[in-house]
Every structure is written in structure tokens, then in C-alpha cells.
Amino acid sequence: MLRSFYIAGTGMLAQRAKMNVLTNNITNIDTTGYKKDTVVSRSFADLMIQDVKDPYILRTSNIVGPQNTGIHVDYIVTSFSQGGFEETGRLSDMALQGDGFFVIQTPQGQRYTRDGSFSVGLDGYLVTSDGHYVSGMNGNIYIGADDFAVDAQGNITVGDQYRGRLNIVTFDDLSGLRKAGDNLYLNFTGQPTRQAQNVTVKQGFLETSNVNMADELISMVEINRSYELNQRVLRMVDESLSKTVNEVGRVVG
């Protein structure tokens, strides 16, 4: 009976973790370029139950079947599906259509993002909203003016002057990326990058998050129901144990 406590308890913990991730998705529904997360859970290793006819002769036992011991959060998956596009009209806003990430230079090293809400810094370089430099193919991109153009391949020009090309990269295995805060990603596994081919830069646009509010609300209802079901199991087991201790024990005594 105590095993039921563990199974229901781990179920509640897993549902709470799912709710935390889902809440974060909903919170970032208006965050530029945000990619939704999903919790993947799995059961602990099953115990094999055997019906032993003779404890001294194990080969006479019959397999009854597995007994589950609960579930736990295995990992969190980020969906990198394409978000929508919002036109802003700002020349420094850029969205990526297709696979790829902008390369950002931070004090902690290179990071990657789909958030193209850039601006021209006081020193004339293209920077993120947090002041990190946006990387070009040949280093940081100096623009030096508010009036500039970016073509579909990421080439930047000011009038007739060529100022560089955006460094847009992708990865063979996107599961190796980890969210590093400030809408940035860390190349956690250290896999090599390659230049993105199937990508188009849209100047004057921003990519919206890929969170679907309807799907998240449906998932929220399902999580609440699962949590309540496990809660009921805990209550039933607790009541049964209470009767075992207080009533059965009294009768025996």
C-alpha cells in the first residue's frame, strides 16, 4: 500500500513540473522568437513480480508481471517550429524564415537567438536589446547610420556601401541547444555549426513565439485532472492506512 503513495506522489511531482513549463510557455507567448518547451516523462524501472512455488527452487516460479514504481521527468524538449511574423517597420528589426539562428557575442561567449529585435548602438554597431554585439561573417557589424538595408541573404548596406553580412548558422542536432536566458541559446554539446542555407531574412519584421494558447490551455486542463487524480489516490491510501492502524489494530487487541 505504501508503494501506492510513491506512485501517486511521483505522479503529482511530474504534473507540477509540466505545469511549471506550461506556465512559462504562456508567460512568453508575446516574447519575440520564443520557442515552446514540453516535458517528457517516463516511468521508473518496473519490478518483475514472480509467484514462487518453492523458495528453494527458483526455477519453479511463474512470472506474474511487472509492477510500476512511479514516473519522473526525463527531459525537456524545445520545439523549434517556425513562429509567425509581425511587421514593425523598424529597419533594425529582423526575422528569420526557415532554419537558422543569429550569432550573438556575449561576455560568456557565443550565443544564438531567433530574436531579431536589434538596434544600432551608440558606437554604431548592430546590437541586441541587451547590448550584445550581433555577429557578421567577418566580426561585429558596424553600421554607423540609422538608414540601412538588409536583403534576404542578410547582406547589409548603407546607401551604396556594403557593411557586411549577418552570420546565420544552424546545427545538425537542435536538441544539443540549451536555453541560456535573455532569449539566447547555448551550444551545450559543443557541436560544430554550419551556415544556414534554407533561411530568409525579413527586415522590418519580428518572429512571434510558436506557443499556441489553445493547445496550452487544453494541456493545462489535462495536467490539473491528472494532478487531482493522483491527489485522490493519496487521500484514499491515507484513509485506508488510518483504518488499518486505528480500527483493525483495536479489533486485534
Side-chain angles (χ1 to χ4, degrees):
M1 188 174 291
L2 288 176
R3 194 177 303 280
S4 300
F5 256 111
Y6 300 133
I7 294 175
T10 57
M12 293 174 68
L13 291 173
Q15 298 307 319
R16 187 176 67 178
K18 290 182 179 180
M19 182 62 77
N20 289 339
V21 170
L22 186 147
T23 302
N24 186 60
N25 288 339
I26 294 176
T27 301
N28 287 281
I29 195 169
D30 293 323
T31 300
T32 302
Y34 177 81
K35 302 302 179 184
K36 67 172 290 186
D37 291 325
T38 303
V39 171
V40 176
S41 59
R42 67 182 176 91
S43 62
F44 289 103
D46 289 341
L47 300 177
M48 187 61 68
I49 303 176
Q50 293 181 328
D51 179 18
V52 181
K53 304 299 182 183
D54 186 339
Y56 294 97
I57 307 176
L58 295 180
R59 65 175 177 273
T60 63
S61 64
N62 296 322
I63 300 298
V64 176
Q67 178 174 341
N68 189 265
T69 55
I71 65 172
H72 66 96
V73 173
D74 198 13
Y75 52 92
I76 297 177
V77 177
T78 300
S79 170
F80 289 97
S81 61
Q82 179 76 57
F85 296 103
E86 178 184 1
E87 186 172 6
T88 65
R90 295 182 66 245
L91 297 179
S92 56
D93 285 342
M94 306 173 201
L96 296 179
Q97 183 174 16
D99 299 330
F101 298 85
F102 298 108
V103 180
I104 309 299
Q105 302 296 335
T106 75
Q108 293 75 36
Q110 280 192 349
R111 297 293 184 266
Y112 310 90
T113 187
R114 295 280 297 191
D115 182 359
S117 54
F118 303 141
S119 62
V120 179
L122 297 177
D123 57 0
Y125 284 87
L126 191 66
V127 296
T128 67
S129 56
D130 294 313
H132 303 312
Y133 290 110
V134 180
S135 178
M137 298 294 291
N138 298 305
N140 301 333
I141 302 175
Y142 178 78
I143 295 177
D146 293 328
D147 188 10
F148 63 97
V150 184
D151 66 15
Q153 288 72 45
N155 296 300
I156 300 177
T157 55
V158 178
D160 295 331
Q161 297 182 350
Y162 177 75
R163 293 298 171 87
R165 182 177 180 179
L166 292 166
N167 187 16
I168 303 172
V169 301
T170 190
F171 304 85
D172 290 329
D173 183 12
L174 295 180
S175 65
L177 297 179
R178 297 290 184 273
K179 291 185 176 180
D182 299 326
N183 225 356
L184 300 174
Y185 293 92
L186 167 68
N187 184 6
F188 183 76
T189 57
Q191 61 181 306
T193 61
R194 56 183 174 82
Q195 293 301 307
Q197 301 296 325
N198 301 317
V199 64
T200 301
V201 180
K202 297 171 67 70
Q203 186 180 22
F205 289 82
L206 290 176
E207 181 184 6
T208 61
S209 73
N210 64 353
V211 177
N212 185 299
M213 179 60 80
D215 291 342
E216 300 303 299
L217 291 178
I218 292 173
S219 297
M220 182 178 290
V221 172
E222 293 174 347
I223 291 171
N224 277 326
R225 288 177 178 172
S226 297
Y227 190 91
E228 291 173 358
L229 181 61
N230 283 292
Q231 199 173 40
R232 285 195 216 106
V233 172
L234 280 179
R235 190 178 299 112
M236 291 169 58
V237 174
D238 182 61
E239 291 174 354
S240 298
L241 287 174
S242 178
K243 287 185 178 182
T244 301
V245 172
N246 297 317
E247 298 180 16
V248 176
R250 189 183 306 119
V251 172
V252 174

